[in-house]
Amino acid sequence: MDSLTLAFLPLALWWPVAAGLSLLLVLAAVLWMFVQNRPARQRPAAGRPAWLPWAFALFALAWWGFGLGLALWPLRELDELGQWARASSYVLVPLWIGGVAWVGALMVQRLLRSTAAMRG
């Protein structure tokens, strides 16, 4: 069974690419949240809590730091054989970190839309 790996890259680049991929996915979720929360010119921004996207951004960056420290940092200290043994982790861990951030972004956006619909 083939798994997702970064085998096409040199071994020394696996950890930086994995950390960069996880950060990119989290920052994309944060950016999407701010783009979606930007009020349109036709409708006022009343009914949308302005602090919620900022709270989400803080949570997402804290989540990235937690994922980096708990799941990705131990991969950095492995020897070459250990890195090959956990090759799929260099792809799957960033996808989990980014996936949780995206689920949070979608949930917060849904909350913002529902509170705006309830208020007016």
Side-chain angles (χ1 to χ4, degrees), residues 20-47:
L21 177 63
S22 65
L23 181 63
L24 180 71
L25 289 170
V26 169
L27 289 179
V30 170
L31 180 65
W32 181 82
M33 171 63 62
F34 279 103
V35 168
Q36 291 294 318
N37 196 44
R38 186 177 56 205
R41 295 177 193 256
Q42 294 87 4
R43 62 176 187 212

Side-chain angles (χ1 to χ4, degrees), residues 39-116:
R41 295 177 193 256
Q42 294 87 4
R43 62 176 187 212
R48 288 182 173 234
W51 59 269
L52 198 54
W54 289 103
F56 170 75
L58 185 63
F59 164 76
L61 292 177
W63 168 248
W64 177 77
F66 176 75
L68 181 74
L70 190 65
L72 281 178
W73 199 260
L75 295 176
R76 185 172 186 230
E77 299 168 353
L78 296 174
D79 61 347
E80 203 169 309
L81 182 62
Q83 286 181 343
W84 277 104
R86 292 172 182 82
S88 64
S89 296
Y90 286 94
V91 176
L92 295 178
V93 167
L95 289 177
W96 272 104
I97 292 170
V100 169
W102 272 100
V103 167
L106 293 171
M107 289 175 57
V108 168
Q109 191 61 35
R110 174 74 180 197
L111 177 68
L112 286 171
R113 286 184 184 154
S114 66
T115 56

